[in-house]
Amino acid sequence: MDSKKEIVVASMPIKPCWPTPAGLVTGVFVGRMLADYLNCRYVMSINELNGFKDLSYDCEGFVRGIHGMGVQVDEVWIDKVHMNAIKKNIIEMVKKGWIKVMPKRIMRCGCGRVFVEEKYANKYCKLIDVEDEIFYCKICGMRCDSEESEQLIFCIPENIKPIKVIPAFLSKEVECALQRLKGREQVISRDRDTGCAVTVNGKKYNIDVDFA
């Protein structure tokens, strides 16, 4: 049996930048080494989708740079190229009930950078400054206000099957991360044009590029 048809090592989605910082390249090297150890294909995943900047130049330079360093990549997987497959998968998740349309209170700013569920704004959003209990966007400086609206929600189940973690000493950290996610309702739609949109119940929803 050809093991290369059974196992694939894939990188976490990488946001390309050129010139490429050393820290970003480290994960690519580790992935290649792991693929060689397992005698399987190595797929480098790249997030070219971005609602604020055209990353095509950075993507081309990043891929050239990786090849120039002598890293063999069996396949470069770019989200923008596989848009139809991504949309199909999202619609399938809607049909299975993993993604639902639900009302949520969303905090927004004028430029669109701040888009976060109100209850998580102060804790998770690094783009927010708070002055006298009023929230402001660090990018545009405008006040962030909350409003309830229908959003696409990824409903993370309570029962998440255990996964095997390599290296094993990271198992505890991964398990803690999964525990925090269990039962969470994650907003995956955005107001701005992200380059990836699906229609659910006759309404268009722009999908967060990190989810796509």
Side-chain angles (χ1 to χ4, degrees):
M1 180 182 295
D2 186 355
S3 62
K4 290 192 175 184
K5 294 182 179 179
E6 302 298 320
I7 303 173
V8 172
V9 172
S11 70
M12 293 292 288
I14 300 169
K15 180 181 178 180
C17 54
W18 183 252
T20 305
L24 193 59
V25 177
T26 302
V28 177
F29 275 99
V30 171
R32 178 69 265 174
M33 293 169 62
L34 182 58
D36 289 342
Y37 176 77
L38 296 173
N39 188 32
C40 67
R41 296 174 63 248
Y42 176 49
V43 177
M44 184 169 67
S45 306
I46 295 180
N47 274 354
E48 191 177 315
L49 283 173
N50 188 294
F52 297 103
K53 179 184 177 183
D54 182 2
L55 296 179
S56 56
Y57 170 78
D58 293 319
C59 183
E60 293 172 3
F62 177 74
V63 173
R64 285 198 308 268
I66 293 299
H67 289 160
M69 295 176 189
V71 181
Q72 180 186 353
V73 177
D74 298 301
E75 180 183 348
V76 178
W77 193 96
I78 302 175
D79 52 7
K80 188 178 288 187
V81 176
H82 297 274
M83 188 65 64
N84 289 336
I86 292 172
K87 292 179 180 180
K88 182 179 178 180
N89 288 339
I90 292 173
I91 293 300
E92 189 63 27
M93 294 172 77
V94 172
K95 292 178 180 178
K96 291 182 177 179
W98 299 348
I99 295 176
K100 301 178 180 179
V101 176
M102 300 173 64
K104 292 288 182 181
R105 288 201 65 83
I106 302 297
M107 182 166 285
R108 305 168 169 86
C109 70
C111 72
R113 295 289 182 126
V114 173
F115 186 97
V116 61
E117 194 172 349
E118 184 183 51
K119 63 181 179 180
Y120 297 127
N122 200 22
K123 187 174 182 181
Y124 292 106
C125 192
K126 297 179 181 179
L127 296 176
I128 288 178
D129 275 329
V130 183
E131 297 180 14
D132 299 325
E133 299 185 355
I134 298 176
F135 294 78
Y136 296 92
C137 171
K138 290 182 179 180
I139 306 300
C140 66
M142 297 182 66
R143 175 172 173 165
C144 304
D145 295 312
S146 297
E147 182 181 3
E148 185 173 285
S149 57
E150 286 191 340
Q151 302 294 331
L152 280 188
I153 309 298
F154 177 48
C155 302
I156 303 173
E158 291 284 353
N159 299 318
I160 301 178
K161 294 181 180 180
I163 61 175
K164 185 175 182 180
V165 179
I166 302 174
F169 69 83
L170 293 176
S171 297
K172 184 176 181 180
E173 285 78 0
V174 173
E175 178 58 28
C176 289
L178 290 177
Q179 288 296 330
R180 290 195 299 270
L181 290 173
K182 285 182 178 180
R184 182 166 173 171
E185 296 175 347
Q186 181 67 43
V187 179
I188 63 168
S189 52
R190 295 291 184 266
D191 285 343
R192 61 184 176 84
D193 181 8
T194 61
C196 179
V198 298
T199 300
V200 179
N201 298 335
K203 181 179 178 181
K204 176 183 173 182
Y205 292 91
N206 296 301
I207 304 300
D208 179 15
V209 295
D210 291 327
F211 184 81

